[in-house]
Amino acid sequence: MSLLHLAIVSPLLLAIFIPFFYKYINRVHTGWFVLPLPILLFGYFLSFLPKTANQKTIMETLSWIPSLGINFTAKVDGLGLLFALLITGIGGLVVLYSIFYLAKDKEKLNTFYVYLLLFMGAMLGVVCSDNLIVLYAFWELTSFSSFLLIGYWYGRDKSRYGAQKSMLITVFGGLAMLGGIILLYIMTGTFSITEIISKSAGIFENPLFIPALLCILLGAFTKSAQFPFYIWLPDAMEAPTPVSAYLHSATMVKAGIYLVARFTPVFGESGLWFWLVGGVGLLTLIWGSVFAVKQTDLKGILAFSTVSQLGLIMSLLGVGAAALHFESLDDNIFTVAVTAAIFHLINHATFKGSLFMAAGIIDHETGTRDIRRLGGLMHIMPVTFTISIIGAFSMAGIPPFNGFLSKEMFFKAMVQVTKSDLFNLETVGILFPIIAWVASVFTFVYSMVLVFRTFTGKYQPEKLEQKPHEAPIGMLISPIILVALVIVFGLFPNLLSQSLISPAMSAILGSGEGFDVHISFWHGFNTELFMTIGVVALGFLLFKTTRKWTKLYGSLPEKLTLNRFYDQLVERAQTGAGKLTNTYMTGAIRSYLVYIFAFFIVILSVTLIWKNAFTVDTINRSPIGIYEIVLVLFIVVGSISILFAKSRMTSIILLGSVGYTVSLFYVLFRAPDLALTQLVIETISVALFLVCFYHLPKLRKHETRMRFRLTNAMISIGVGAIVAAIALSAHSSKQFQSISQYYVENTYEKAAGKNMVNVILVDFRGFDTLFEITVLAIASLGIYGLIKLRSNRGEKSEGK
Amino acid sequence: MLDIVIRIALLCCSLAMLGLIYRVIKGPSTADRVIALDAIGVNLVAITALFSMIRKSSTFLEVILLIGILAFIGTVAFAKYLERGEIIENERNR
């Protein structure tokens, strides 16, 4: 176990001790005990920076199940490190924020920090695992801990609904991903991502390639809230705000992005990958941005904006994968898309984290997150206002913040898509920049709504639950740090370019060398700049006229929304399964017997016909004498008369006579021991039947003939026919000699007995006898218990 | 000679059995059926004895004895059931 492994699982280890801290050191907010860990981890991961900047990869292996090729291989390369820094860095800030956000005496802090640490460890495991099975295990742990965190206030209906929804959707995707992992294993014979990438040369011809691609993408799309699986994310906003800031903007929802980036070297050359990742990303981008404008809840806006921005990153990754089609990665127009994706990933984590925290502060200080009740808070909460405006401007892509730079690069990548001749892009490629531009306009509008509806306008104290005031300084530290990063990355983007972006790019594009990334602030007057100017102009116009055109949203029928579809799906699945089960689980033994026997007939007859197994061969036949015929007649007459007997008494007597005739058969076929036993047993069972008959309730004692049912008749005739056919065929195709000769020779020689049946029962195969004795013992004890215990209970109830 | 006699005897017994089974099925009252059943038991004794003569074997003598005992017990049990409504009386009479 190396230090790296320890670092990955350290949050999980600390989680074990959190309840003790909470219980025994209750004067201090439990969060203070958690805070040092992410800071330490952040420092630790920072120490990898020089190594990855030189294109080195750190690999540490810990054996887990080596015989199955499953080992905990921790791998840190540019991409993994970028994510690890995001997770630990924002994790530290979120823990600090949560210390001031969650009250010590009102909330169950122990569960909160246990879940949060569980999530942090799981997320580190996802991004630092080289083994796919380990990655999957951590992946599910993130789904699970996210479920716990969304349902943190489990007393609320909406929390439980949101938690369940996110669980269902992400676990659905997770399982699909597991399928994809297994398909990849079948194709390449390894679970290691590094080895899969090195073996992926001829993978396109494999028939399993497309299923594997679809399964992996399903996992990534559900986790990263892509269309149409984004619906869980807005409902996950019922979680405490630190959780929303951490999980649902900065880390967990980027796990799908990570997965897509990680598998780009494997699948990237396929056209399907380009269209799915790029197309779904763009669709999510515009869908999320359009619906964000409709929201009235601060966190709702932020949730849809997260969806939209994730779509942006996803589409950039899809476009960037096209770079793999060229021989050389240098001077490649598509690599800029990858640069933009990584850069925007970092930017999004910074500004979205700060915006969520600002929304949490507003909620905390005013008691509402509804923008229709907020307004005019600029003078009351100046610091929060500053934070929000920087975050929102960065999100809208306004200079000089970092969002501007990544948006410029996004436009550049999208414009360049149209100039290539790959995948028929010359015809529909023009849609890429158009969708991107329209989505950016909407992004601008909701960013402005977010800030100006909250902080400017009329102050409405009568609508607020408490008197608002500026948040305590502790709550403001984390968002201040994040917006400081927004500005720093905006002004000095090249701080990131060689240290973080370039190594991550070489990991995504699977190249051994670094990229010369240079993000310049000013490109001159080019298409992208004019597009940005257009965004600002049209966005400003739309923002000013919001009240006029937002009514359009009401015209969308409620039935056609995806949430409605999801609810219907869950409900229909439940009622449908219930109805289906009720149709066949009737509770009547008769129907179950019908199923069992019908299957019996169908399966056996199909097998007989299919294998052409029905044969009748008379070679082994013994001569049939008159006695056998007479006895068979007795049995047949007796059995048939049972069916038509009017009273049950007659049935019992007829059954007895059939049993006695069977014992005659034993006499005829020279089996004296069987005949003896059969006689005794038949007598006893007839007596038992009589006992049962006597105790039948008087009212229900209908002395009528059995009712005729066609299904019953058909099934009973079918069973009889099939069993007869099988018996005939089995007898006609005897393949081996019987082993009875051995018993004949050795009954006296070896076992000192002359009665061969008895010697077999107690000597050659005495074990069977032992357990049949046991069966009898159990049966008699059971009968005794049934009778005795029931009468005891009867006494008790009488006593009451 | 003996062989033919045995066969004739068996045939007679079988015919008797058929008649008895007819009575078991038809028998207007339960008592008729029980008596027919008892007679079937006696017939079985005869058939088994004739059979062991055909097979020239003495292994079925126990079967004959057992049928005799069982037919007796069964008939007694039936009789008691018909008269008292139960076979083994419950002394405690709860």
Side-chain angles (χ1 to χ4, degrees):
Chain A
M1 187 146 185
S2 64
L3 192 60
L4 182 56
H5 286 111
L6 194 67
I8 292 170
V9 296
S10 60
L12 307 182
L13 296 177
L14 181 61
I16 299 174
F17 298 101
I18 289 300
F20 298 105
F21 286 133
Y22 178 71
K23 191 165 181 193
Y24 295 111
I25 314 179
N26 45 14
R27 276 189 305 117
V28 188
H29 194 285
T30 315
W32 291 112
F33 298 109
V34 182
L35 186 60
L37 183 74
I39 296 172
L40 262 177
L41 286 176
F42 186 72
Y44 174 68
F45 279 110
L46 270 184
S47 71
F48 286 108
L49 262 185
K51 288 180 192 158
T52 56
N54 292 325
Q55 310 303 321
K56 278 192 193 132
T57 304
I58 297 96
M59 289 265 252
E60 299 278 358
T61 303
L62 182 71
S63 286
W64 184 20
I65 315 174
S67 57
L68 298 179
I70 300 171
N71 293 311
F72 186 5
T73 307
K75 172 185 175 181
V76 176
D77 61 354
L79 186 65
L81 183 65
L82 167 67
F83 274 90
L85 287 175
L86 278 182
I87 292 159
T88 51
I90 297 188
L93 296 176
V94 161
V95 170
L96 179 65
Y97 177 76
S98 70
I99 291 172
F100 293 93
Y101 186 83
L102 294 172
K104 187 157 70 84
D105 41 354
K106 283 181 200 157
E107 307 285 358
K108 296 173 295 298
L109 293 174
N110 50 347
T111 54
F112 180 80
Y113 286 110
V114 166
Y115 300 161
L116 199 73
L117 283 169
L118 209 61
F119 171 79
M120 194 185 286
M123 203 62 212
L124 277 178
V126 166
V127 299
C128 292
S129 292
D130 189 49
N131 192 292
L132 283 174
I133 294 292
V134 178
L135 187 146
Y136 172 72
F138 281 119
W139 183 277
E140 289 300 6
L141 193 55
T142 62
S143 297
F144 177 63
S145 48
S146 162
F147 166 77
L148 292 173
L149 283 167
I150 297 169
Y152 177 65
W153 287 310
Y154 52 79
R156 302 181 186 173
D157 272 343
K158 287 183 89 177
S159 292
R160 295 200 300 269
Y161 172 79
Q164 186 204 38
K165 193 175 186 179
S166 74
M167 184 75 164
L168 285 176
I169 294 176
T170 53
V171 168
F172 160 71
L175 282 175
M177 193 183 96
L178 180 64
I181 289 171
I182 291 166
L183 290 176
L184 274 176
Y185 179 75
I186 293 170
M187 284 192 285
T188 59
T190 173
F191 282 125
S192 159
I193 299 175
T194 321
E195 283 177 41
I196 287 175
I197 291 173
S198 67
K199 285 183 184 171
S200 64
I203 208 170
F204 302 100
E205 284 82 43
N206 201 311
L208 296 178
F209 176 75
I210 289 182
L213 188 155
L214 292 177
C215 284
I216 295 276
L217 274 189
L218 207 54
F221 284 173
T222 49
K223 197 76 159 182
S224 273
Q226 298 296 297
F227 188 88
F229 305 110
Y230 72 87
I231 48 172
W232 66 268
L233 189 61
D235 283 307
M237 291 303 130
E238 293 303 320
T241 304
V243 172
S244 309
Y246 189 36
L247 274 71
H248 307 125
S249 71
T251 52
M252 188 178 93
V253 288
K254 295 202 170 106
I257 304 270
Y258 169 79
L259 198 71
V260 168
R262 194 45 106 194
F263 278 103
T264 297
V266 182
F267 297 113
E269 275 189 58
S270 139
L272 188 65
W273 178 269
F274 173 87
W275 281 113
L276 274 179
V277 179
V280 171
L282 276 179
L283 183 58
T284 316
L285 165 66
I286 188 149
W287 190 280
S289 61
V290 168
F291 279 90
V293 183
K294 185 192 170 189
Q295 307 302 315
T296 52
D297 177 31
L298 282 179
K299 277 172 91 174
I301 300 177
L302 289 172
F304 274 94
S305 116
T306 304
V307 170
S308 150
Q309 306 276 317
L310 289 170
L312 188 157
I313 300 171
M314 199 63 101
S315 68
L316 281 171
L317 280 176
V319 171
L324 292 171
H325 276 270
F326 298 96
E327 290 295 315
S328 150
L329 287 172
D330 297 328
D331 299 330
N332 191 321
I333 52 170
F334 287 108
T335 52
V336 71
V338 182
T339 317
I342 301 165
F343 190 42
H344 196 72
L345 183 83
I346 303 167
N347 295 345
H348 178 249
T350 55
F351 67 68
K352 193 52 66 67
S354 63
L355 281 174
F356 263 111
M357 290 176 186
I361 290 170
I362 295 165
D363 186 17
H364 205 265
E365 302 305 332
T366 64
T368 182
R369 299 195 309 250
D370 194 331
I371 51 170
R372 288 167 300 190
R373 291 160 68 183
L374 294 167
L377 294 176
M378 188 161 50
H379 301 294
I380 301 164
M381 305 167 85
V383 185
T384 317
F385 170 66
T386 318
I387 293 164
S388 300
I389 202 164
I390 294 173
F393 276 23
S394 176
M395 182 157 78
I398 296 171
F401 306 112
N402 56 6
F404 167 71
L405 299 171
S406 43
K407 188 141 289 184
E408 291 274 280
M409 290 165 77
F410 170 57
F411 283 150
K412 188 174 168 195
M414 290 298 154
V415 168
Q416 275 170 349
V417 163
T418 56
K419 294 175 186 160
S420 83
D421 50 356
L422 285 167
F423 317 122
N424 302 324
L425 273 176
E426 64 271 24
T427 46
V428 283
I430 189 69
L431 280 175
F432 278 71
I434 291 176
I435 293 176
W437 188 77
V438 174
S440 297
V441 173
F442 278 100
T443 307
F444 185 89
V445 175
Y446 71 68
S447 302
M448 295 306 110
V449 168
L450 192 68
V451 180
F452 291 110
R453 287 282 141 76
T454 315
F455 291 101
T456 60
K458 224 178 93 199
Y459 176 49
Q460 303 157 301
E462 71 282 356
K463 286 188 181 175
L464 300 178
E465 284 165 22
Q466 58 203 67
K467 194 169 155 41
H469 52 80
E470 185 57 276
I473 182 69
M475 224 178 201
L476 291 168
I477 294 173
S478 302
I480 287 173
I481 292 174
L482 283 172
V483 291
L485 284 176
V486 168
I487 298 171
V488 169
F489 292 159
L491 296 177
F492 311 103
N494 289 312
L495 280 177
L496 293 172
S497 58
Q498 284 310 318
S499 57
L500 271 177
I501 296 178
S502 163
M505 277 175 74
S506 40
I508 292 174
L509 295 172
S511 103
E513 306 143 35
F515 290 87
D516 186 24
V517 178
H518 189 76
I519 303 165
S520 55
F521 203 78
W522 177 250
H523 301 275
F525 291 101
N526 50 11
T527 331
E528 295 88 50
L529 186 67
F530 289 120
M531 280 168 88
T532 306
I533 292 169
V535 166
V536 174
L538 187 63
F540 187 72
L541 203 68
L542 280 176
F543 171 62
K544 279 290 160 199
T545 55
T546 344
R547 296 193 198 285
K548 286 173 188 158
W549 57 272
T550 39
K551 285 170 195 149
L552 281 175
Y553 286 111
S555 60
L556 182 79
E558 186 67 19
K559 273 183 185 173
L560 290 177
T561 57
L562 285 168
N563 271 321
R564 169 97 178 180
F565 178 73
Y566 164 85
D567 290 338
Q568 291 274 316
L569 192 72
V570 172
E571 202 190 310
R572 290 264 169 84
Q574 273 178 11
T575 53
K579 272 183 195 158
L580 184 70
T581 312
N582 282 337
T583 52
Y584 69 90
M585 298 295 281
T586 53
I589 289 183
R590 178 183 174 268
S591 11
Y592 305 145
L593 286 178
V594 167
Y595 309 146
I596 293 171
F597 285 125
F599 270 95
F600 181 82
I601 294 168
V602 167
I603 289 171
L604 287 178
S605 56
V606 165
T607 314
L608 268 186
I609 294 164
W610 186 37
K611 295 278 179 190
N612 209 7
F614 181 69
T615 48
V616 178
D617 189 0
T618 49
I619 291 172
N620 288 324
R621 189 176 67 79
S622 311
I624 303 171
I626 180 78
Y627 315 118
E628 286 94 339
I629 295 174
V630 171
L631 285 183
V632 164
L633 277 178
F634 280 168
I635 288 190
V636 168
V637 171
S639 312
I640 291 176
S641 344
I642 291 176
L643 296 180
F644 295 98
K646 265 186 192 159
S647 82
R648 294 189 179 175
M649 192 67 158
T650 320
S651 302
I652 292 168
I653 291 170
L654 281 169
L655 193 66
S657 71
V658 168
Y660 288 130
T661 322
V662 168
S663 76
L664 262 192
F665 257 112
Y666 290 145
V667 170
L668 185 63
F669 291 140
R670 279 167 278 187
D673 296 300
L674 285 183
L676 283 175
T677 322
Q678 168 72 18
L679 280 170
V680 178
I681 294 299
E682 193 60 41
T683 312
I684 292 172
S685 43
V686 167
L688 285 177
F689 271 122
L690 287 177
V691 170
C692 298
F693 176 73
Y694 174 70
H695 286 288
L696 278 182
K698 288 214 166 48
L699 282 175
R700 295 249 190 104
K701 211 191 271 177
H702 29 241
E703 294 279 305
T704 52
R705 191 173 287 176
M706 216 163 52
R707 263 199 299 153
F708 179 78
R709 277 206 180 102
L710 189 63
T711 38
N712 288 7
M714 275 164 57
I715 281 179
S716 55
I717 291 168
V719 168
I722 201 81
V723 170
I726 287 173
L728 279 177
S729 311
H731 188 258
S732 305
S733 50
K734 201 168 262 179
Q735 300 193 333
F736 304 104
Q737 282 286 313
S738 162
I739 58 161
S740 57
Q741 198 56 37
Y742 173 83
Y743 295 127
V744 174
E745 283 165 7
N746 292 308
T747 302
Y748 189 69
E749 291 287 310
K750 292 194 172 165
K754 286 182 182 165
N755 186 333
M756 203 172 86
V757 175
N758 292 358
V759 168
I760 289 176
L761 283 179
V762 298
D763 191 318
F764 289 124
R765 309 196 49 178
F767 268 123
D768 298 351
T769 313
L770 174 64
F771 290 106
E772 277 170 28
I773 292 169
T774 318
V775 168
L776 281 182
I778 291 171
S780 54
L781 283 175
I783 292 166
Y784 179 77
L786 281 176
I787 294 169
K788 199 71 185 167
L789 292 180
R790 192 199 57 176
S791 57
N792 279 351
R793 190 182 296 165
E795 276 174 4
K796 269 182 199 164
S797 63
E798 275 169 338
K800 281 175 189 173
Chain B
M1 187 59 197
L2 183 67
D3 199 38
I4 299 167
V5 171
I6 293 170
R7 271 158 210 275
I8 293 168
L10 262 179
L11 186 68
C12 294
C13 285
S14 312
L15 290 175
M17 280 276 272
L18 274 181
L20 290 168
I21 285 179
Y22 171 77
R23 193 40 65 194
V24 168
I25 297 168
K26 195 71 188 173
S29 77
T30 312
D32 292 314
R33 293 198 178 98
V34 173
I35 289 172
L37 215 57
D38 188 50
I40 286 178
V42 176
N43 246 308
L44 280 176
V45 170
I47 289 174
T48 318
L50 289 168
F51 233 83
S52 34
M53 287 171 82
I54 291 176
R55 294 277 189 236
K56 295 193 170 49
S57 143
S58 62
T59 45
F60 295 106
L61 294 180
E62 291 151 13
V63 177
I64 292 168
L65 289 174
L66 190 73
I67 296 174
I69 297 166
L70 288 178
F72 171 71
I73 295 174
T75 312
V76 168
F78 259 118
K80 197 173 175 190
Y81 170 74
L82 289 177
E83 192 182 309
R84 298 266 180 93
E86 57 188 337
I87 299 169
I88 302 164
E89 281 170 73
N90 202 340
E91 297 286 329
R92 284 171 287 176
N93 208 8
R94 274 189 287 184

